[in-house]
Amino acid sequence: MELIIQNDKYALGNAAGTQAANIIRNAIEQTGKANIILATGTSQFQTLEQLIREDIDWSKVVMFHLDEYIGLPITHPASFRKYLKERFLDKVAPLKAYYLINGENDAEEERQRLNQLIRQYPIDVALAGIGENGHLAFNDPPADFHTEDPYLIVNLDEKCRLQQMGEGWFATVNDVPAQAISMSVKQIMKSGHIICSVPDSRKAQAIKDCVEQPVNPIFPASILQEHPSCGLYLDETSAALLAPAFK
């Protein structure tokens, strides 16, 4: 895992989005296609803005995403399908294919549908973030590092739900759904490259834990230490608690 620390969230997003684009273009050049995973949430705003500015042949790209709330309609402001449609899909040329998680369907049937789909597409690059509780996708602590299933039905812990409310997606914590469909840790780790964008001071403790602590399910994103090609993009505030040896 390589740490890249930028001055602010805008420089972070520019660097992360540029690197993701380079990986996508290289995959297309080598194989004629690219398979990608996109993340959502406030941490991804600048990274996605940079990515859509890049010169990429999107007709050769297949997209999956990390997670979605169960039971939340696509019209809700917090819907990750809505997020990706408005912030990415509507702003780039048509993709070869994209597979969004529909949390309004029967959750188990949707999980099985996605599992069958993603097994057909080796992922070239995954864009991800890290939650305030250290989660990777919606794999809250203690995370399951071992399941082979690509997607899981997960329960969201209180700290995760409080983060969603605190970011303004929901009016109260009780409005945050209790469950989600989430890509598993092992499936994320199968990606050829991972670009992890984590701005903001409220993520500083999670970053410290996931970088400095040994790999442990209590710190889910600590597993990224074991990935052979993971760039962890931070700004000065999210990196503020790191020991000097890690900066």
Side-chain angles (χ1 to χ4, degrees):
M1 183 171 67
E2 178 186 6
L3 272 62
I4 302 99
I5 302 174
Q6 302 288 337
N7 290 334
D8 56 36
K9 64 183 180 181
Y10 301 103
L12 181 163
N14 290 344
T18 298
Q19 179 60 10
N22 289 337
I23 295 168
I24 293 168
R25 284 191 291 260
N26 187 58
I28 292 172
E29 183 177 342
Q30 291 187 357
T31 68
K33 59 185 181 301
N35 304 319
I36 69 173
I37 296 166
L38 295 186
T40 54
T42 59
S43 66
Q44 303 301 306
F45 286 168
Q46 285 74 36
T47 298
L48 287 179
E49 285 172 6
Q50 179 61 36
L51 187 60
I52 64 177
R53 287 194 290 265
E54 295 282 340
D55 183 16
I56 294 171
D57 184 351
W58 293 108
S59 70
K60 297 179 179 177
V61 175
V62 174
M63 185 205 84
F64 290 84
H65 70 120
L66 287 175
D67 42 32
E68 179 61 284
Y69 299 104
I70 290 175
L72 198 71
I74 194 171
T75 53
H76 192 283
S79 164
F80 294 142
R81 288 178 294 159
K82 177 181 174 67
Y83 178 114
L84 286 168
K85 185 176 186 305
E86 294 178 350
R87 293 182 175 273
F88 179 72
L89 292 169
D90 288 350
K91 295 187 177 184
V92 298
L95 273 61
K96 180 178 182 181
Y98 61 87
Y99 300 105
L100 299 179
I101 305 167
N102 187 344
E104 297 179 84
N105 287 344
D106 178 274
E108 179 58 23
E109 290 181 5
E110 182 69 357
R111 186 181 79 88
Q112 294 292 353
R113 180 184 77 89
L114 294 162
N115 286 350
Q116 292 174 10
L117 282 167
I118 200 167
R119 288 186 176 114
Q120 303 172 43
Y121 297 97
I123 301 299
D124 296 295
V125 61
L127 275 62
I130 295 175
E132 292 177 30
N133 64 354
H135 70 201
L136 192 61
F138 269 146
N139 298 287
D140 289 337
D144 186 341
F145 283 176
H146 304 295
T147 182
E148 293 287 347
D149 284 1
Y151 284 90
L152 308 173
I153 295 173
V154 298
N155 298 318
L156 305 184
D157 73 15
E158 184 180 12
K159 191 168 183 180
C160 170
R161 296 172 77 202
L162 285 169
Q163 176 184 329
Q164 307 310 315
M165 182 192 71
E167 290 181 356
W169 302 108
F170 298 91
T172 74
V173 70
N174 291 329
D175 294 325
V176 184
Q179 289 188 308
I181 299 172
S182 175
M183 188 174 290
S184 68
V185 170
K186 203 154 193 177
Q187 178 63 43
I188 296 168
M189 291 290 285
K190 290 178 181 178
S191 305
H193 304 271
I194 296 176
I195 302 292
C196 192
S197 300
V198 194
D200 203 339
S201 60
R202 61 195 169 84
K203 304 287 185 74
Q205 185 61 52
I207 290 298
K208 182 177 180 66
D209 291 338
C210 293
V211 170
E212 298 183 11
Q213 296 285 348
V215 174
N216 189 315
I218 297 300
F219 310 115
S222 66
I223 194 71
L224 296 177
Q225 297 175 32
E226 298 183 350
H227 196 277
S229 180
C230 174
L232 179 57
Y233 288 78
L234 309 175
D235 62 13
E236 290 185 352
T237 64
S238 61
L241 298 182
L242 289 173
F246 292 93
K247 294 185 178 181

